[in-house]
Amino acid sequence: MQFDLVSPERSLASMEATSVQIPGADGDMTVMADHAPTITTLRPGVLKVDASGTVHEFVVTGGFAEIGTQGISVLAERAVSRSDITQTDMDAMFDEAQDSYSRAKDTFKNDSGPIDDAAKLLADMVAVGAEIGLSTKQPSL
């Protein structure tokens, strides 16, 4: 199946894939040929693409995945090849998640929903750092 990954900055990948593991907002999912058409949101995580026996990994911070009968298109808020990500990149993504959490706490004092969403985003960024072997700062909750 055809796999395409794009971010606002550029197209990161376009290849024939046998499977794609997606960090979906409602849980991880694996897409293979003839998957039912679906649109899902992404959470921060590692997107893995198996193309001819080679696994390509990308760190994504959110976005959407559109699964069609012919392939899958991922529109990521931010995406970086795992081999290209640096500690500085990871720190910047963590800092953005921490800032979002702090703003949510200040803005939604009487509504825990947005605060919980921001805390989950922050926890997901910590998990991404652990998965790819980069350290993250300790979240301030």
Side-chain angles (χ1 to χ4, degrees), residues 45-103:
V46 179
L47 185 140
K48 299 176 184 177
V49 182
D50 185 345
S52 301
T54 301
V55 177
H56 303 271
E57 297 181 327
F58 302 90
V59 174
V60 296
T61 60
F64 297 91
E66 180 180 7
I67 303 158
T69 56
Q70 299 301 312
I72 178 170
S73 295
V74 175
L75 309 168
E77 290 173 2
R78 177 186 279 176
V80 180
S81 174
R82 181 176 176 174
S83 62
D84 293 340
I85 197 161
T86 66
Q87 185 65 55
T88 301
D89 296 328
M90 190 72 233
D91 288 345
M93 287 186 252
F94 177 87
D95 289 343
E96 286 176 23
Q98 182 70 60
D99 289 344
S100 292
Y101 176 74
S102 297
R103 281 192 314 275

